[in-house]
Amino acid sequence: MKQTYYKEAFRSLITLSIPTVLEEVLSTLLQYVDTAMVGHLGEKATAAVSATTTIGWLIHSIPSAIAVAVLAIASKANGAGDEAKLKKLAGQSILYAFTIGTLLEVIALVLSPYIPVWMGVEPDIVRPASVYFTITSISLVFRASSRVFSAMIRSIKDTKSPMFISVGENVLNILLNTVFIYGLNLGVAGAAIASCISFGIGGIAMFLLMLSKTKLRPERLDMRLDREILSETFTIGLPALGTTFVSCFGYIAFARMVSGMGTTIFAAHSIAITAEQIVYIPGYGLRVATSTLVGNALGEKDIRKLKATGRVSILITLLIMVVNGIGLYLFAYPFMRLFTNSVNAARIGSEVLRLVSFSEPFFGLMIVLEGISYGMGRTKHVFACEAVSMWGIRIFGTFLCVNVFGLGLKAVWLCMIADNICKAILLYIFRPKHVEENADDRGELR
């Protein structure tokens, strides 16, 4: 009986995670394409595109937190066969996405001239960085919508359709980048315009896709604010938002300290951060699939299925991250050269990439444990682990390395590695265990 559960969990995870992994990879490629195509214009262009990246993460954390809550609630409702709640939640997701997305867009556009200055970039980088951020911010409402609506679609175990939309976004972005960056010689602004258009079309496509699903097509009354669902979304989403805020503010402080080390160092650091993403992106794809299946098992009240899903997802993620870490170590320098013509920046970046390659399995463990907790709607302990590790280890350690001991980029990345390892350990120690107390003899949740 146990083997059946594990085989089913493995089959379901592979089936659902392949499209989500590809989607995460393709979504990341949008940033990769901008970084790579702009990187060939020089270090200053790279720094301009990278200067506001962490602020972008902070802004997108709000719709991402809503998406975490929506996925947890909707996948549980789908597992329980509660179609009425699915429709109502779809209506609420439209309300959330459009309201939050519009508000974020207005705030971002107002603050865009000042953000590069706050990030401490060099004076000649401020204007192009501001232009890039301003143009990409125009698509925020579409990006927020895409994030929330894709969570609704995944909750009913459709992970292929959002992937196809990501494919379309990337193809369009590459074509438009070629036209705007090189054809029209718009440089950094051209990359921003291409991304803005691609995100806009992707967001519209995701909205139409959700409405095409019978289970998710809301009635008119479902569009009114529902206090009960809002409360449930708030309970799950607020700690998730707190986690991302703590993380993003940490990344901002982290980037702010590195940016003061010079343009070449900051460009190498930024490109290395971007390059590393391709290694751990499969973990985030598996996290989405894991959250979906955990939420469905919770709705079905099947504890054996829930436990099997968690264990299999951890094993698969660790295996993938070990292989990816080896690849990152072996090909660090040629990987960096894809994004920059600067031999010095590529050399510095490859050194820190080889360092971080050894910690990738821990990073993968951290990601999948977050997915299990998010699928169960238990987000508070994730927030606590993130806050303690990010600020107690990464930020404090980096402050000492840069401002007290005057150490280089390797020391900064060692602080980041220590943070990732600590988070993995804390999340494993404090992972949800007490759900078994609510199970009866047949493995069903009461």
Side-chain angles (χ1 to χ4, degrees):
M1 181 65 73
K2 283 186 178 180
Q3 285 186 338
T4 302
Y5 274 99
Y6 284 107
K7 286 180 180 178
E8 183 184 344
F10 180 80
R11 192 183 308 114
S12 297
L13 275 169
I14 294 299
T15 303
L16 287 179
S17 66
I18 289 176
T20 56
V21 168
L22 288 174
E23 185 185 352
E24 290 289 340
V25 170
L26 290 169
S27 296
T28 303
L29 280 177
L30 276 173
Q31 182 181 346
Y32 264 61
V33 168
D34 280 357
T35 305
M37 296 182 82
V38 170
H40 291 286
L41 300 177
E43 291 178 0
K44 290 184 178 180
T46 299
V49 170
S50 304
T52 57
T53 298
T54 48
I55 297 294
W57 290 345
L58 179 61
I59 291 171
H60 298 142
S61 67
I62 298 177
S64 294
I66 296 172
V68 166
V70 163
L71 180 61
I73 300 167
S75 58
K76 184 177 178 181
N78 187 56
D82 191 347
E83 198 164 310
K85 187 168 185 177
L86 275 174
K87 288 180 178 291
K88 185 173 286 187
L89 185 58
Q92 298 302 293
S93 71
I94 294 172
L95 191 61
Y96 300 156
F98 288 166
T99 303
I100 296 297
T102 302
L103 182 61
L104 289 175
E105 185 171 320
V106 171
I107 293 172
L109 290 173
V110 170
L111 296 180
S112 58
Y114 312 104
I115 288 173
V117 179
W118 297 340
M119 291 302 297
V121 300
E122 295 185 2
D124 55 345
I125 305 296
V126 171
R127 179 167 174 74
S130 178
V131 168
Y132 183 83
F133 186 76
T134 299
I135 296 171
T136 54
S137 294
I138 295 171
S139 64
L140 268 173
V141 66
F142 299 103
R143 297 182 74 176
S145 300
S146 183
R147 191 70 57 90
V148 176
F149 300 151
S150 63
M152 284 298 308
I153 296 163
R154 291 191 191 106
S155 73
I156 59 172
K157 297 185 179 180
D158 178 7
T159 54
K160 292 181 181 178
S161 301
M163 180 197 69
F164 290 132
I165 291 175
S166 289
V167 170
E169 278 187 22
N170 277 273
V171 171
L172 181 61
N173 189 56
I174 292 171
L175 293 174
L176 293 177
N177 264 340
T178 304
V179 172
F180 290 121
I181 295 175
Y182 303 122
L184 299 177
N185 293 317
L186 293 177
V188 171
I193 293 169
S195 295
C196 182
I197 294 172
S198 302
F199 284 131
I201 292 175
I204 293 169
M206 201 71 75
F207 175 61
L208 295 175
L209 175 62
M210 186 183 76
L211 294 183
S212 71
K213 304 291 181 182
T214 305
K215 278 185 176 182
L216 303 179
R217 192 179 304 136
E219 303 294 336
R220 190 171 181 179
L221 291 175
D222 295 330
M223 299 287 291
R224 296 179 180 177
L225 187 64
D226 185 291
R227 293 182 182 277
E228 184 179 340
I229 291 181
L230 179 63
S231 175
E232 194 173 359
T233 305
F234 189 84
T235 300
I236 297 172
L238 186 60
L241 179 60
T243 300
T244 315
F245 264 38
V246 163
S247 177
C248 285
F249 276 119
Y251 287 134
I252 291 169
F254 187 61
R256 178 68 178 80
M257 286 185 277
V258 176
S259 69
M261 299 172 76
T263 298
T264 300
I265 295 291
F266 184 59
H269 168 78
S270 301
I271 295 169
I273 290 286
T274 302
E276 190 206 1
Q277 285 181 344
I278 199 69
V279 174
Y280 59 71
I281 281 301
Y284 279 105
L286 273 163
R287 184 177 83 169
V288 173
T290 300
S291 294
T292 301
L293 291 174
V294 165
N296 274 267
L298 205 59
E300 294 168 7
K301 299 183 178 180
D302 191 335
I303 185 64
R304 288 175 182 161
K305 187 175 182 179
L306 190 155
K307 289 168 66 178
T309 298
R311 289 171 181 172
V312 172
S313 65
I314 289 173
L315 179 61
I316 293 174
T317 304
L318 286 176
L319 288 174
I320 290 174
M321 296 301 282
V322 167
V323 173
N324 287 357
I326 293 171
L328 184 63
Y329 183 87
L330 294 176
F331 302 105
Y333 183 76
F335 205 19
M336 286 292 297
R337 290 289 286 168
L338 290 175
F339 301 100
T340 180
N341 286 329
S342 171
V343 174
N344 198 27
R347 178 186 58 79
I348 295 169
S350 63
E351 289 174 355
V352 295
L353 283 179
R354 290 193 182 99
L355 277 178
V356 82
S357 66
F358 291 98
S359 70
E360 296 302 331
F362 289 96
F363 196 47
L365 179 62
M366 175 196 78
I367 292 168
V368 76
L369 288 171
E370 283 183 351
I372 293 169
S373 297
Y374 285 168
M376 296 175 67
R378 296 177 180 179
T379 52
K380 292 179 181 178
H381 74 284
V382 179
F383 166 71
C385 292
E386 178 69 33
V388 169
S389 185
M390 170 60 81
W391 287 88
I393 295 179
R394 182 183 301 206
I395 304 306
F396 183 64
T398 301
F399 174 80
L400 292 177
C401 289
V402 174
N403 297 316
V404 178
F405 301 114
L407 301 177
L409 192 61
K410 282 187 180 180
V412 170
W413 274 61
L414 284 173
C415 295
M416 182 175 74
I417 292 167
D419 167 41
N420 290 337
I421 293 173
C422 179
K423 273 187 281 202
I425 294 171
L426 288 175
L427 285 170
Y428 184 78
I429 292 172
F430 297 107
R431 69 192 184 280
K433 301 174 185 177
H434 61 281
V435 69
E436 298 180 32
E437 298 171 2
N438 297 320
D440 60 24
D441 294 335
R442 294 173 297 173
E444 295 181 345
L445 292 169
R446 290 195 291 268

